[in-house]
Protein backbone atom coordinates (compact mmCIF):
# COMPACT_ATOMS: atom_id res chain seq x y z
CA UNK A 1 0.00 0.00 0.00
CA UNK A 2 1.37 3.45 -0.97
CA UNK A 3 -0.15 6.92 -0.48
CA UNK A 4 -2.08 6.47 -3.72
CA UNK A 5 -3.11 2.86 -3.23
CA UNK A 6 -5.19 1.04 -0.66
CA UNK A 7 -6.10 -2.48 0.36
CA UNK A 8 -9.33 -3.90 -1.05
CA UNK A 9 -10.94 -7.33 -1.14
CA UNK A 10 -11.78 -8.12 -4.74
CA UNK A 11 -12.55 -11.15 -6.89
CA UNK A 12 -11.57 -12.00 -10.47
CA UNK A 13 -13.98 -14.94 -10.77
CA UNK A 14 -17.33 -15.95 -9.27
CA UNK A 15 -17.14 -18.88 -6.88
CA UNK A 16 -16.36 -20.02 -3.34
CA UNK A 17 -14.77 -17.84 -0.69
CA UNK A 18 -11.30 -18.71 -2.05
CA UNK A 19 -11.91 -16.28 -4.96
CA UNK A 20 -11.66 -13.32 -2.57
CA UNK A 21 -8.23 -11.68 -2.79
CA UNK A 22 -6.57 -8.92 -0.80
CA UNK A 23 -5.29 -6.53 -3.48
CA UNK A 24 -3.77 -3.08 -3.84
CA UNK A 25 -5.92 -0.70 -5.87
CA UNK A 26 -5.92 3.09 -6.37
CA UNK A 27 -7.49 5.17 -3.60
CA UNK A 28 -10.77 6.48 -5.10
CA UNK A 29 -11.29 10.22 -5.59
CA UNK A 30 -14.70 11.66 -4.69
CA UNK A 31 -16.68 13.22 -7.56
CA UNK A 32 -18.96 16.23 -7.00
CA UNK A 33 -21.65 15.36 -4.36
CA UNK A 34 -19.57 12.43 -3.10
CA UNK A 35 -17.61 11.84 0.09
CA UNK A 36 -14.64 9.58 0.58
CA UNK A 37 -14.85 7.55 3.78
CA UNK A 38 -11.91 5.96 5.56
CA UNK A 39 -13.49 2.60 6.40
CA UNK A 40 -12.97 1.44 9.99
CA UNK A 41 -15.28 -1.56 9.84
CA UNK A 42 -17.37 -3.34 7.19
CA UNK A 43 -20.44 -5.43 7.98
CA UNK A 44 -20.97 -8.79 6.28
CA UNK A 45 -24.37 -9.76 4.86
CA UNK A 46 -25.70 -12.87 3.10
CA UNK A 47 -25.91 -10.86 -0.15
CA UNK A 48 -22.12 -10.49 -0.01
CA UNK A 49 -21.45 -14.22 -0.42
CA UNK A 50 -24.39 -14.70 -2.77
CA UNK A 51 -22.96 -11.98 -5.04
CA UNK A 52 -19.49 -13.52 -4.77
CA UNK A 53 -20.94 -16.83 -6.01
CA UNK A 54 -22.60 -15.08 -8.96
CA UNK A 55 -26.23 -15.12 -7.81
CA UNK A 56 -26.50 -11.82 -5.96
CA UNK A 57 -29.30 -9.35 -6.60
CA UNK A 58 -31.37 -10.52 -9.59
CA UNK A 59 -31.05 -8.32 -12.67
CA UNK A 60 -27.82 -6.62 -11.62
CA UNK A 61 -25.02 -7.44 -14.11
CA UNK A 62 -22.06 -7.61 -11.72
CA UNK A 63 -18.81 -7.34 -13.69
CA UNK A 64 -15.37 -8.70 -12.78
CA UNK A 65 -13.14 -7.73 -11.11
CA UNK A 66 -15.63 -7.01 -8.36
CA UNK A 67 -15.16 -5.38 -4.96
CA UNK A 68 -16.93 -7.03 -2.00
CA UNK A 69 -19.39 -5.69 0.54
CA UNK A 70 -21.75 -2.75 1.17
CA UNK A 71 -21.88 -1.93 4.89
CA UNK A 72 -19.38 0.60 6.20
CA UNK A 73 -18.69 2.65 9.27
CA UNK A 74 -15.82 5.12 9.14
CA UNK A 75 -14.65 8.70 8.97
CA UNK A 76 -15.08 11.17 6.11
CA UNK A 77 -11.63 12.12 4.85
CA UNK A 78 -12.45 14.09 1.66
CA UNK A 79 -15.53 15.68 0.12
CA UNK A 80 -16.35 16.52 -3.49
CA UNK A 81 -17.79 19.80 -4.74
CA UNK A 82 -21.32 20.53 -3.58
CA UNK A 83 -21.33 18.50 -0.35
CA UNK A 84 -22.75 20.69 2.43
CA UNK A 85 -23.88 18.29 5.15
CA UNK A 86 -20.66 16.36 5.86
CA UNK A 87 -17.04 17.39 6.28
CA UNK A 88 -13.70 15.65 6.84
CA UNK A 89 -13.56 14.17 10.33
CA UNK A 90 -17.27 13.33 10.55
CA UNK A 91 -18.01 9.77 11.68
CA UNK A 92 -20.53 8.20 9.33
CA UNK A 93 -22.14 4.90 8.48
CA UNK A 94 -24.02 3.69 5.42
CA UNK A 95 -24.78 1.13 2.75
CA UNK A 96 -23.61 3.02 -0.33
CA UNK A 97 -24.49 2.18 -3.90
CA UNK A 98 -26.61 -0.89 -3.18
CA UNK A 99 -27.35 -2.91 -5.30
CA UNK A 100 -24.50 -1.57 -7.47
CA UNK A 101 -20.92 -2.48 -6.52
CA UNK A 102 -19.64 -0.55 -3.49
CA UNK A 103 -16.41 -2.32 -2.53
CA UNK A 104 -16.91 -1.79 1.20
CA UNK A 105 -14.25 -4.31 2.27
CA UNK A 106 -11.50 -1.76 1.60
CA UNK A 107 -9.60 1.07 3.22
CA UNK A 108 -11.72 3.73 1.45
CA UNK A 109 -15.05 4.01 -0.33
CA UNK A 110 -16.52 6.96 -2.21
CA UNK A 111 -20.27 7.46 -2.59
CA UNK A 112 -22.95 10.18 -2.69
CA UNK A 113 -22.92 11.99 0.65
CA UNK A 114 -26.63 11.50 1.22
CA UNK A 115 -26.27 7.73 1.21
CA UNK A 116 -24.53 8.12 4.59
CA UNK A 117 -25.65 9.43 7.97
CA UNK A 118 -23.77 10.31 11.12
CA UNK A 119 -22.81 7.17 12.99
CA UNK A 120 -24.69 6.59 16.26
CA UNK A 121 -22.68 8.37 18.99
CA UNK A 122 -23.05 5.65 21.60
CA UNK A 123 -21.53 2.72 19.72
CA UNK A 124 -18.17 2.12 18.04
CA UNK A 125 -17.44 1.52 14.38
CA UNK A 126 -17.68 -2.27 14.64
CA UNK A 127 -21.22 -2.15 16.00
CA UNK A 128 -22.17 0.67 13.61
CA UNK A 129 -20.94 -1.34 10.62
CA UNK A 130 -23.29 -4.14 11.70
CA UNK A 131 -26.30 -1.93 11.09
CA UNK A 132 -26.81 -0.32 7.68
CA UNK A 133 -28.08 -3.09 5.38
CA UNK A 134 -29.83 -5.05 8.12
CA UNK A 135 -31.39 -2.03 9.80
CA UNK A 136 -32.44 -0.37 6.53
CA UNK A 137 -34.11 -3.63 5.48
CA UNK A 138 -35.94 -3.83 8.80
CA UNK A 139 -36.87 -0.12 8.69
CA UNK A 140 -38.07 -0.19 5.09
CA UNK A 141 -40.18 -3.28 5.85
CA UNK A 142 -41.61 -2.37 9.26
CA UNK A 143 -41.83 1.41 9.05
CA UNK A 144 -41.99 2.43 5.38
CA UNK A 145 -43.97 -0.56 4.07
CA UNK A 146 -46.00 -1.93 7.00
CA UNK A 147 -46.23 1.24 9.15
CA UNK A 148 -46.33 -0.98 12.24
CA UNK A 149 -48.49 0.48 15.02
CA UNK A 150 -48.61 0.09 18.80
CA UNK A 151 -50.29 -3.17 19.84
CA UNK A 152 -49.98 -4.89 16.47
CA UNK A 153 -48.82 -8.49 16.43
CA UNK A 154 -45.62 -8.93 14.40
CA UNK A 155 -44.16 -12.33 13.54
CA UNK A 156 -40.46 -12.40 12.61
CA UNK A 157 -38.88 -15.51 11.07
CA UNK A 158 -35.09 -15.83 11.57
CA UNK A 159 -35.50 -13.34 14.40
CA UNK A 160 -31.98 -14.01 15.73
CA UNK A 161 -30.16 -13.19 12.49
CA UNK A 162 -28.68 -9.98 11.16
CA UNK A 163 -31.94 -8.46 9.96
CA UNK A 164 -34.18 -10.29 12.43
CA UNK A 165 -32.61 -9.12 15.68
CA UNK A 166 -32.77 -5.51 14.48
CA UNK A 167 -36.33 -5.90 13.16
CA UNK A 168 -37.44 -7.26 16.52
CA UNK A 169 -36.05 -4.18 18.28
CA UNK A 170 -37.56 -1.70 15.81
CA UNK A 171 -40.97 -3.39 16.09
CA UNK A 172 -40.74 -3.32 19.90
CA UNK A 173 -39.73 0.35 19.82
CA UNK A 174 -42.95 1.03 17.91
CA UNK A 175 -44.97 -0.72 20.61
CA UNK A 176 -45.69 -3.94 18.73
CA UNK A 177 -46.19 -7.38 20.27
CA UNK A 178 -43.35 -9.41 18.76
CA UNK A 179 -43.19 -13.14 18.14
CA UNK A 180 -39.72 -14.40 17.20
CA UNK A 181 -38.99 -17.69 15.42
CA UNK A 182 -35.52 -19.27 15.62
CA UNK A 183 -33.92 -22.39 17.10
CA UNK A 184 -34.14 -22.98 20.85
CA UNK A 185 -30.55 -21.89 21.49
CA UNK A 186 -31.60 -18.32 20.52
CA UNK A 187 -34.49 -18.01 22.96
CA UNK A 188 -32.55 -16.30 25.77
CA UNK A 189 -31.03 -13.82 23.31
CA UNK A 190 -34.40 -12.93 21.81
CA UNK A 191 -36.14 -12.71 25.21
CA UNK A 192 -33.33 -10.37 26.33
CA UNK A 193 -34.23 -8.12 23.38
CA UNK A 194 -37.83 -8.11 24.58
CA UNK A 195 -39.77 -10.52 22.35
CA UNK A 196 -42.99 -11.47 24.08
CA UNK A 197 -43.35 -14.87 22.39
CA UNK A 198 -40.81 -17.31 21.00
CA UNK A 199 -41.18 -20.39 18.81
CA UNK A 200 -38.37 -22.92 18.31
CA UNK A 201 -38.79 -23.98 14.68
CA UNK A 202 -36.94 -27.21 15.37
CA UNK A 203 -39.45 -28.51 17.92
CA UNK A 204 -42.76 -26.85 17.02
CA UNK A 205 -44.58 -25.50 14.00
CA UNK A 206 -45.18 -21.80 14.44
CA UNK A 207 -48.54 -21.98 12.67
CA UNK A 208 -49.86 -24.38 15.32
CA UNK A 209 -48.84 -22.02 18.14
CA UNK A 210 -49.45 -18.54 16.71
CA UNK A 211 -52.49 -16.92 15.09
CA UNK A 212 -53.89 -13.53 14.09
CA UNK A 213 -50.76 -11.59 13.25
CA UNK A 214 -50.90 -8.17 11.59
CA UNK A 215 -47.52 -8.61 9.90
CA UNK A 216 -45.40 -11.63 9.04
CA UNK A 217 -41.82 -10.65 8.23
CA UNK A 218 -40.40 -13.70 6.48
CA UNK A 219 -36.59 -13.63 6.57
CA UNK A 220 -36.35 -17.31 5.61
CA UNK A 221 -38.45 -17.06 2.46
CA UNK A 222 -39.21 -20.69 1.80
CA UNK A 223 -42.72 -20.85 0.28
CA UNK A 224 -43.48 -24.28 1.78
CA UNK A 225 -42.12 -23.99 5.32
CA UNK A 226 -42.48 -20.29 6.13
CA UNK A 227 -44.36 -18.52 3.30
CA UNK A 228 -47.66 -20.40 2.95
CA UNK A 229 -48.14 -21.15 6.67
CA UNK A 230 -47.34 -17.52 7.54
CA UNK A 231 -49.98 -16.17 5.17
CA UNK A 232 -52.44 -18.59 6.76
CA UNK A 233 -52.04 -16.88 10.15
CA UNK A 234 -52.03 -13.25 8.96
CA UNK A 235 -55.34 -11.50 9.69
CA UNK A 236 -57.35 -10.56 6.61
CA UNK A 237 -56.16 -7.05 5.72
CA UNK A 238 -52.75 -7.77 7.25
CA UNK A 239 -49.43 -7.98 5.45
CA UNK A 240 -46.87 -10.65 4.53
CA UNK A 241 -43.39 -9.43 3.51
CA UNK A 242 -41.17 -12.01 1.81
CA UNK A 243 -37.64 -10.68 2.20
CA UNK A 244 -35.45 -13.26 0.44
CA UNK A 245 -37.11 -14.39 -2.75
CA UNK A 246 -40.07 -12.02 -2.67
CA UNK A 247 -43.56 -13.44 -3.20
CA UNK A 248 -43.77 -16.58 -5.36
CA UNK A 249 -46.94 -16.97 -7.48
CA UNK A 250 -48.42 -19.59 -5.13
CA UNK A 251 -47.93 -17.22 -2.18
CA UNK A 252 -49.56 -14.36 -4.05
CA UNK A 253 -52.55 -16.63 -4.78
CA UNK A 254 -52.80 -17.78 -1.15
CA UNK A 255 -52.64 -14.18 0.04
CA UNK A 256 -55.34 -13.03 -2.40
CA UNK A 257 -57.62 -15.86 -1.33
CA UNK A 258 -57.30 -14.81 2.31
CA UNK A 259 -57.51 -11.04 1.78
CA UNK A 260 -53.91 -10.59 2.91
CA UNK A 261 -51.51 -8.16 1.24
CA UNK A 262 -48.19 -9.69 0.19
CA UNK A 263 -45.05 -8.03 -1.10
CA UNK A 264 -41.34 -8.54 -1.61
CA UNK A 265 -38.83 -5.84 -0.76
CA UNK A 266 -35.34 -4.83 -1.82
CA UNK A 267 -33.38 -2.59 0.52
CA UNK A 268 -32.27 0.85 -0.79
CA UNK A 269 -29.69 3.36 0.47
CA UNK A 270 -31.42 6.03 2.60
CA UNK A 271 -29.45 8.53 4.70
CA UNK A 272 -32.61 9.88 6.39
CA UNK A 273 -33.64 6.42 7.58
CA UNK A 274 -30.08 5.83 8.82
CA UNK A 275 -30.33 9.05 10.85
CA UNK A 276 -33.60 7.83 12.40
CA UNK A 277 -31.98 4.46 13.14
CA UNK A 278 -29.03 6.25 14.81
CA UNK A 279 -31.53 8.06 17.06
CA UNK A 280 -33.03 4.73 18.10
CA UNK A 281 -29.54 3.49 18.99
CA UNK A 282 -28.58 6.63 20.88
CA UNK A 283 -31.84 6.60 22.85
CA UNK A 284 -31.12 3.03 24.00
CA UNK A 285 -33.88 1.32 22.03
CA UNK A 286 -31.71 -0.49 19.47
CA UNK A 287 -28.41 -2.26 19.93
CA UNK A 288 -26.75 -4.34 17.21
CA UNK A 289 -25.31 -7.67 18.36
CA UNK A 290 -21.94 -8.58 16.86
CA UNK A 291 -21.29 -12.31 17.04
CA UNK A 292 -17.73 -12.20 15.72
CA UNK A 293 -15.17 -10.01 13.98
CA UNK A 294 -12.47 -10.81 11.41
CA UNK A 295 -9.51 -8.80 10.09
CA UNK A 296 -9.70 -7.59 6.47
CA UNK A 297 -7.35 -10.31 5.22
CA UNK A 298 -9.76 -12.95 6.60
CA UNK A 299 -12.77 -11.73 4.62
CA UNK A 300 -13.26 -15.24 3.21
CA UNK A 301 -13.72 -16.69 6.71
CA UNK A 302 -16.09 -13.84 7.59
CA UNK A 303 -18.29 -14.65 4.58
CA UNK A 304 -18.13 -18.39 5.32
CA UNK A 305 -19.41 -17.70 8.84
CA UNK A 306 -22.41 -15.80 7.46
CA UNK A 307 -23.03 -18.40 4.76
CA UNK A 308 -23.60 -21.00 7.51
CA UNK A 309 -27.07 -19.42 7.84
CA UNK A 310 -26.97 -19.77 11.62
CA UNK A 311 -25.16 -16.73 12.95
CA UNK A 312 -26.68 -14.83 15.86
CA UNK A 313 -26.66 -11.11 15.11
CA UNK A 314 -23.89 -9.92 12.80
CA UNK A 315 -20.38 -10.65 11.56
CA UNK A 316 -18.12 -7.63 11.00
CA UNK A 317 -14.75 -7.12 9.30
CA UNK A 318 -12.36 -4.80 11.14
CA UNK A 319 -10.57 -2.79 8.48
CA UNK A 320 -8.65 -0.13 10.35
CA UNK A 321 -7.46 -2.12 13.34
CA UNK A 322 -3.73 -2.36 14.02
CA UNK A 323 -2.75 -0.75 10.72
CA UNK A 324 -2.78 2.87 11.80
CA UNK A 325 -2.45 3.80 15.47
CA UNK A 326 -4.22 7.12 14.85
CA UNK A 327 -7.25 5.31 13.59
CA UNK A 328 -7.69 2.56 16.12
CA UNK A 329 -11.31 1.57 16.67
N1 LIG B 1 -34.48 -8.32 0.01
C1 LIG B 1 -33.62 -7.62 0.72
O1 LIG B 1 -33.47 -6.41 0.56
C2 LIG B 1 -32.80 -8.32 1.78
C3 LIG B 1 -32.13 -7.55 2.73
C4 LIG B 1 -31.45 -8.20 3.75
C5 LIG B 1 -31.42 -9.60 3.80
N2 LIG B 1 -32.05 -10.31 2.83
C6 LIG B 1 -32.08 -11.79 2.89
O2 LIG B 1 -32.83 -12.13 4.05
C7 LIG B 1 -32.30 -13.31 4.64
C8 LIG B 1 -31.97 -13.03 6.10
O3 LIG B 1 -30.88 -12.13 6.15
P1 LIG B 1 -30.02 -12.02 7.49
O4 LIG B 1 -28.92 -11.08 7.24
O5 LIG B 1 -30.90 -11.79 8.67
O6 LIG B 1 -29.46 -13.53 7.54
P2 LIG B 1 -28.65 -14.27 8.69
O7 LIG B 1 -28.08 -13.29 9.65
O8 LIG B 1 -27.72 -15.20 8.01
O9 LIG B 1 -29.78 -15.15 9.42
C9 LIG B 1 -29.32 -16.11 10.30
C10 LIG B 1 -30.43 -16.52 11.24
O10 LIG B 1 -31.44 -17.24 10.54
C11 LIG B 1 -32.03 -18.15 11.47
N3 LIG B 1 -32.68 -19.24 10.75
C12 LIG B 1 -32.11 -20.07 9.84
N4 LIG B 1 -33.06 -20.93 9.39
C13 LIG B 1 -34.22 -20.62 10.04
C14 LIG B 1 -35.55 -21.15 10.00
N5 LIG B 1 -35.87 -22.17 9.20
N6 LIG B 1 -36.50 -20.56 10.78
C15 LIG B 1 -36.18 -19.52 11.58
N7 LIG B 1 -34.93 -19.00 11.68
C16 LIG B 1 -33.97 -19.55 10.90
C17 LIG B 1 -30.84 -18.63 12.26
O11 LIG B 1 -31.31 -19.04 13.51
P3 LIG B 1 -30.82 -20.47 14.08
O12 LIG B 1 -29.32 -20.38 14.14
O13 LIG B 1 -31.49 -20.52 15.38
O14 LIG B 1 -31.27 -21.50 13.07
C18 LIG B 1 -29.92 -17.41 12.33
O15 LIG B 1 -29.96 -16.73 13.57
C19 LIG B 1 -31.10 -13.72 3.77
O16 LIG B 1 -31.54 -14.66 2.81
C20 LIG B 1 -30.73 -12.42 3.07
O17 LIG B 1 -30.05 -12.63 1.85
C21 LIG B 1 -32.74 -9.71 1.81
Amino acid sequence: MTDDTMRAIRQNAFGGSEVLRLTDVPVPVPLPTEVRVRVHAAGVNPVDWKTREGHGVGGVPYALPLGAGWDVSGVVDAVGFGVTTLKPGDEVYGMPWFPREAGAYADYVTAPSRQFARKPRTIGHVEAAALPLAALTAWQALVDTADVQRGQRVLVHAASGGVGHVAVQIALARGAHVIGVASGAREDFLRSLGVQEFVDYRTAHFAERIDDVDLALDLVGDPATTGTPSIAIVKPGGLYIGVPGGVAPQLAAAARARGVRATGILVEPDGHALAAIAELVDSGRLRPAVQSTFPLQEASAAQDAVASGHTQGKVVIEVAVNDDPDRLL
Side-chain angles (χ1 to χ4, degrees), residues 43-53 55-56 70-71 105 133-134 161-163 219 244 303 306-307 309 311 313-314:
V44 182
N45 293 286
V47 70
D48 299 5
W49 66 262
K50 294 175 185 176
T51 303
R52 184 201 71 219
E53 288 190 341
H55 51 91
W70 280 275
D71 273 343
Y105 301 2
L133 192 145
V163 179
L219 296 164
Q303 287 196 352
V306 172
T311 45
K314 296 286 304 186

Side-chain angles (χ1 to χ4, degrees), residues 17 40 44-45 56 69 99 121-122 132 144 169-170 200 297 299 325-326:
S17 59
H40 284 228
V44 182
N45 293 286
R121 282 176 292 102
T122 51
D144 296 345
Q169 295 177 73
I170 292 175
D200 175 354
Q297 62 273 21
D326 293 325

Side-chain angles (χ1 to χ4, degrees), residues 18-302:
E18 70 283 353
V19 301
L20 296 182
R21 293 269 185 275
L22 185 64
T23 54
D24 267 9
V25 297
V27 173
V29 176
L31 295 177
T33 77
E34 291 182 355
V35 294
R36 181 170 67 206
V37 174
R38 172 64 165 112
V39 179
H40 284 228
V44 182
N45 293 286
V47 70
D48 299 5
W49 66 262
K50 294 175 185 176
T51 303
R52 184 201 71 219
E53 288 190 341
H55 51 91
V57 182
V60 182
Y62 295 106
L64 298 169
L66 179 64
W70 280 275
D71 273 343
V72 302
S73 181
V75 179
V76 174
D77 94 319
V79 301
F81 174 78
V83 174
T84 58
T85 55
L86 292 173
K87 60 182 186 318
D90 286 343
E91 295 191 306
V92 295
Y93 76 140
M95 180 202 67
W97 297 118
F98 190 86
R100 291 180 186 272
E101 174 182 356
Y105 301 2
D107 285 315
Y108 295 92
V109 296
T110 53
S113 68
R114 289 164 200 272
Q115 295 190 0
F116 293 96
R118 283 169 199 276
K119 170 179 106 29
R121 282 176 292 102
T122 51
I123 58 176
H125 287 291
V126 167
E127 284 178 295
L131 280 170
L133 192 145
L136 284 172
T137 305
W139 186 273
Q140 289 165 13
L142 296 166
V143 180
D144 296 345
T145 306
D147 190 22
V148 166
Q149 299 294 314
R150 178 165 296 283
Q152 287 190 329
R153 289 167 58 78
V154 174
L155 172 71
V156 181
H157 290 286
S160 49
V163 179
H165 87 290
V166 174
V168 157
Q169 295 177 73
I170 292 175
L172 288 167
R174 289 176 74 87
H177 176 96
V178 179
I179 304 136
V181 184
S183 68
R186 314 293 179 205
E187 178 166 5
D188 288 350
F189 169 61
L190 286 168
R191 296 265 185 209
S192 77
L193 298 180
V195 302
Q196 288 93 344
E197 292 180 71
F198 174 83
V199 180
D200 175 354
Y201 69 85
R202 292 195 167 139
T203 61
H205 199 289
F206 67 92
E208 288 163 8
R209 301 261 304 275
I210 307 296
D211 207 351
D212 277 343
V213 302
D214 297 280
L215 169 67
L217 182 63
D218 187 353
L219 296 164
V220 174
D222 178 47
T225 61
T226 56
T228 305
S230 292
I231 287 169
I233 60 167
V234 176
K235 294 175 185 168
L239 178 63
Y240 168 86
I241 303 181
V243 180
V247 177
Q250 72 264 39
L251 294 186
R256 257 195 317 277
R258 197 173 154 74
V260 165
R261 292 168 294 140
T263 185
I265 188 170
L266 187 61
V267 64
E268 297 177 45
D270 182 348
H272 288 299
L274 284 173
I277 290 161
E279 269 180 41
L280 273 187
V281 175
D282 289 335
S283 63
R285 287 173 292 167
L286 170 61
R287 187 84 198 218
V290 176
Q291 172 190 285
S292 50
T293 61
F294 293 81
L296 183 62
Q297 62 273 21
E298 291 176 22
S300 301

